[in-house]
Amino acid sequence: MALIERFQKTTDIGYWQGQIPLNYIYTVGRAGEKFFREIINGKIFGAKCEACNITYVPAKIFCEKCFARLEDKYLDVGTKGKVYTFTQCYETYEGIRKEKPSIVTVIQIDGTQGFLVHWLGEIDFEKVSIGMPVEAVFKAKKDREGSILDIKYFKPIK
Amino acid sequence: MSKRVAIIGIGTTGFRATTPDVSYRELTYEAAMKAYLDAGVEPKDIGSFVATSEDFLEGYSISDEYSPDQLGAVLRPIYTVPGDFIHSLASAYMMILSGVGPISVAQGLSKASNMLTLSEMVTFGMDPIYNRPLKESPHAVAGLEMARFLYETGTTREQCAKVVVKNRKNALNNPYAGHGVLVNPDYVLNSEVISYPLTQMDISPHSDGAVVVVLAEEEAAKALCDKPIWIRGIGWCSDTPGLETRNWAEAIYAQMAAEMAYKMAGIRYPRKEIDFAEINDEFSYKELQHLEAMRVCKKGEAGPLTEIGGTEITGEFPVNTSGGCLGVGNLYELNGGHKVFEVVQQLRGEAGKNQLKNVTTGLAQSWRGIPTTTGTVVILSN
């Protein structure tokens, strides 16, 4: 290395701090438009490729296996599924310790090959298991705005 | 029969948690100088250069523009691959096969300590519409995958902890590694939970460093080098990236990349025909998952093999003699670079205290980290 003495902190020696705001909008697309308009109605929409016998959730306009167009193959897949995998996360997206951990799950929506990543609520972490049946809990209708957060969380089906 | 291509020069800075004394350009310059000296070439002898960089990690919106000078590649054929180092190695290999010139160079770099908001940057790699609104840590993705891996294979958290113990111990004897330490499995299991079952010690800490590798076609390799290390097979593959559609149970990307490389190398039984491997272990369970995906172990057998010491330096199939990502550090797009560096050192007999005896064929595998499903594999022989 260039210097004999090794500094331990990146700020111990010459640097320039640079930052730039990066703000985007992300177009949800044709399938996303369908998915998020229906989520306002309390519904989850997928798309089925008949040839491959695969139902994607969320809806998409093409089959990634056979590349067929699925734009007229949207379907209501219901709001129930099973816990495919789960974790209890103690860290925020900024890498800071959370005051209260969240239960994050991958839910396989019943009758489909698709997953939704969302929180699990109304249960203690110790009681969660893979394969557990769950259903989506939506925000009050007036508060829905066409976002994945219109689902508050999934909860166990008693 | 295509031309044979060998690695004839390697150079690195070594890998440290911080490098406040050098800029990212100076890191690459040092690695390049060493690699060119090792190969006995000068920049003017090199037909083409392939650099590796990711804009957000580098802190430029067009970081590839800033890659020529520190490689001696000003006004020369160069481009940058925004992938893993082994992607760049594959490109440099193809440059030779396609006749651009008999000698080419692949470069990779990590200056992760420059990134003050590393966690947010990784989060920004997730889907903006379906995933980012949850504002969860990207480590939750690793926690989710680890939980499913343990469920599918019967692997235990203790077996994952053994991976950490082994790799961080191996790093102690690797002068290039920055995170060597002796710990016991309980220390790993009892370290702070980040995203259960993933603990702090299951996660590789980040490192800085650079690697440059010089490749040559057979005639030039034999003329320039006493110990050419031949590329026998190389492969790369990406699964569907979405958390909604990917295969959560298996690392299919690693399987397909390995099968591509095995086919090229004519390898049918990897456990028998390969002597050792450097496997991506950015998270402890990834080493086990990747070994199983690549047919080194059957499903559920990588954990038990690790438990009985089968992947130690003294074991029947040594894995990550360098210390892996856990012991060397997470180098992001350079992860494949340190793996290739170690395999070349082992095959040349230059791996120091961690040197394996009588090895002829080694494998280096990488993964592009969370939230990707992209893998790369290269098989090398002496």
Side-chain angles (χ1 to χ4, degrees), chain B residues 98-159:
Chain B
S98 55
V100 175
I103 300 174
S104 66
V105 156
Q107 173 267 2
L109 167 80
S110 168
K111 189 74 164 153
S113 69
N114 268 359
M115 187 73 195
L116 299 178
T117 48
L118 202 51
S119 181
E120 283 151 293
M121 191 276 301
V122 178
T123 306
F124 211 62
M126 308 226 276
D127 183 277
I129 300 165
Y130 295 101
N131 305 143
R132 277 191 234 158
L134 299 183
K135 292 193 172 176
E136 286 293 343
S137 161
H139 286 141
V141 178
L144 288 166
E145 192 184 53
M146 182 176 180
R148 186 72 199 186
F149 172 70
L150 300 185
Y151 174 82
E152 289 266 337
T153 59
T155 305
T156 63
R157 285 182 66 213
E158 287 73 14
Q159 289 164 344

Side-chain angles (χ1 to χ4, degrees), chain B residues 165-237:
Chain B
V165 173
K166 167 180 72 74
N167 292 358
R168 294 196 72 161
K169 183 182 72 186
N170 288 350
L172 278 176
N173 283 331
N174 176 2
Y176 295 120
H179 296 282
V181 66
L182 278 180
V183 287
N184 60 32
D186 282 344
Y187 185 85
V188 178
L189 292 167
N190 295 327
S191 68
E192 193 168 61
V193 175
I194 301 299
S195 196
Y196 190 88
L198 194 75
T199 70
Q200 186 69 58
M201 288 292 290
D202 286 309
I203 303 170
S204 56
H206 66 74
S207 270
D208 296 351
V211 171
V212 172
V213 167
V214 182
L215 305 178
E217 61 87 16
E218 187 162 11
E219 201 178 320
K222 284 180 173 166
L224 286 165
C225 186
D226 294 336
K227 296 178 189 169
I229 303 300
W230 303 99
I231 295 181
R232 287 188 48 203
I234 194 159
W236 58 95
C237 184

Side-chain angles (χ1 to χ4, degrees), chain A residues 1-3 5-14 17 22 24 26-29 31-32 35-36 56-60 64 83-98 102 104-106 113-119 125 130-131 147-149, chain B residues 13-14 16-22 26-27 30 56 113-114 116 119-121 123-124 128-141 143-149 151-152 192-198 200 203 208 239-240 243-249:
Chain A
M1 298 282 172
L3 299 175
E5 188 183 353
R6 180 165 285 282
F7 292 85
Q8 294 301 320
K9 273 165 60 192
T10 47
T11 49
D12 282 346
I13 202 161
Q17 185 164 342
L22 289 165
Y24 299 82
Y26 296 94
T27 308
V28 298
F35 182 82
F36 289 113
Y56 294 96
V57 182
K60 46 197 295 174
E64 58 186 46
V83 173
Y84 192 79
T85 183
F86 63 99
T87 186
Q88 188 169 39
C89 188
Y90 289 79
E91 194 182 72
T92 69
Y93 76 104
E94 300 136 302
I96 299 166
R97 194 83 182 161
K98 282 179 184 171
S102 52
V104 183
T105 52
V106 174
Q113 285 69 40
F115 303 111
L116 287 178
V117 178
H118 224 294
W119 296 296
F125 179 69
I130 286 176
S147 146
I148 195 71
L149 299 178
Chain B
T13 53
R16 294 293 179 265
T18 63
T19 48
D21 48 346
V22 279
E26 291 162 350
L27 280 170
E30 182 181 329
F56 278 94
S113 69
N114 268 359
L116 299 178
S119 181
E120 283 151 293
M121 191 276 301
T123 306
F124 211 62
I129 300 165
Y130 295 101
N131 305 143
R132 277 191 234 158
L134 299 183
K135 292 193 172 176
E136 286 293 343
S137 161
H139 286 141
V141 178
L144 288 166
E145 192 184 53
M146 182 176 180
R148 186 72 199 186
F149 172 70
Y151 174 82
E152 289 266 337
E192 193 168 61
V193 175
I194 301 299
S195 196
Y196 190 88
L198 194 75
Q200 186 69 58
I203 303 170
D208 296 351
D239 193 0
T240 175
L243 303 185
E244 290 72 24
T245 42
R246 68 172 53 182
N247 184 325
W248 282 93

Side-chain angles (χ1 to χ4, degrees), chain B residues 7 57 84 86 139 163 167 173 181 198 214 264 269 273 317 327 333 336:
Chain B
I7 293 176
L57 271 164
D84 181 75
I86 295 173
H139 286 141
V163 173
N167 292 358
N173 283 331
V181 66
L198 194 75
V214 182
M264 194 185 294
Y269 304 103
E273 295 172 63
F317 192 89
E333 69 267 25

